[in-house]
Amino acid sequence: MISMPKTESAAIVEASHPALLSIQAPEGRPSDSRDEGGLVALPHDMPKVPGVAYRPRLVSFEFAEDLQVRLSNEPEGRTLVLTAFVALLYRYSQQTTLTLGVLRDGVVRALVIEANAQQTGQALAAQISRQLPNIPPWNTLGKGGAHPQVTVALVGGTVPEGQPPSMFAEHELHLSLAHPIGRGVVTYNANLFAPDTIARLLLHFEVLAKSLCDNPGCLIGQLPLLTPARSLR
């Protein structure tokens, strides 16, 4: 379930909207801000214009109840959801090195993941699991003044109501994951992404999470982004 803030009531898009069901992720579509150092560069709906003020919009989401139960019963359910998100970033950006910010204990840290289409979901999850306990602070990464364009917060038992911390003032996409696993908030830059793009992204995110639960040995380049019923529409 996806809910848009009331400030965008004229542009509400539910995950079940027919216009979204037959649209695949924009694989191979070039971004106007690709970074050779691995900063995640998602394709944008609108071009990035220097000097234009950041315009944040929040979307809360919940996976299907049965999927939330399955993820909660998985010993590494939180890692699996994060793996689904990283797989989604790979499918959208086609970048084999993905550098994203992770907020932990008030510090932005740098998670650097190597991904490719022939990697299994299980292998990607193992890579993330190995790194999470000791990911370094972002400012030690050698990116100069560059901000992470995509960030993740692994928060506690409540879904955050407000905007992410001011340290993310220039992010493009921020994901806050809360308990129970499979719920959270996405904050995105409305100057770059249309509401229906974010709704579609969250739909793909849920399908990837379910696919990884069902078949962790599947190659991430072959994981479905739509359910079979929706793919046929």
Side-chain angles (χ1 to χ4, degrees):
M1 178 172 63
I2 299 171
S3 60
M4 290 289 182
K6 292 182 180 179
T7 54
E8 290 197 349
S9 58
I12 290 177
V13 182
E14 295 292 342
S16 58
H17 192 292
L20 303 180
L21 302 183
S22 61
I23 302 175
Q24 297 291 332
E27 297 189 36
R29 185 171 132 208
S31 166
D32 60 4
S33 60
R34 185 171 297 279
D35 178 85
E36 296 300 326
L39 294 182
V40 179
L42 294 174
H44 303 148
D45 295 308
M46 287 78 77
K48 183 179 288 187
V49 180
V52 174
Y54 172 64
R55 192 157 62 97
R57 291 292 182 270
L58 276 69
V59 184
S60 61
F61 69 91
E62 287 188 35
F63 291 168
E65 186 175 352
D66 61 332
L67 180 55
Q68 289 189 52
V69 171
R70 289 183 65 187
L71 290 169
S72 296
N73 290 333
E74 286 278 347
E76 297 293 330
R78 179 65 64 92
T79 300
L80 191 149
V81 173
L82 185 55
T83 300
F85 186 63
V86 171
L88 183 68
L89 296 176
Y90 166 73
R91 296 285 292 272
Y92 269 62
S93 71
Q94 292 294 288
Q95 291 173 255
T96 54
T97 300
L98 297 162
T99 304
L100 58 154
V102 175
L103 177 62
R104 177 182 289 167
D105 301 324
V107 177
V108 183
R109 300 181 179 276
L111 182 64
V112 183
I113 298 297
E114 301 295 330
N116 63 75
Q118 299 306 308
Q119 189 177 38
T120 66
Q122 197 169 35
L124 182 60
Q127 183 184 168
I128 292 172
S129 184
R130 285 194 303 269
Q131 292 195 43
L132 275 180
N134 298 298
I135 47 180
W138 183 269
N139 59 13
T140 66
L141 196 62
K143 295 291 182 185
H147 294 268
Q149 296 304 297
V150 177
T151 57
V152 178
L154 306 178
V155 299
T158 59
V159 175
E161 297 291 338
Q163 298 177 17
S166 58
M167 64 185 73
F168 293 128
E170 298 184 23
H171 77 280
E172 295 179 3
L173 189 72
H174 175 73
L175 173 70
S176 293
L177 292 172
H179 288 296
I181 300 171
R183 299 174 64 239
V185 170
V186 164
T187 309
Y188 67 97
N189 187 347
N191 286 328
L192 299 178
F193 301 105
D196 61 336
T197 295
I198 299 302
R200 185 167 61 249
L201 180 146
L202 289 171
L203 172 64
H204 294 159
F205 181 29
E206 180 173 3
V207 173
L208 279 173
K210 183 178 186 302
S211 299
L212 285 171
C213 276
D214 293 339
N215 187 8
C218 185
L219 302 180
I220 63 172
Q222 296 178 0
L223 288 168
L225 294 174
L226 294 173
T227 62
R230 288 172 172 175
S231 297
L232 294 174
R233 296 189 187 184

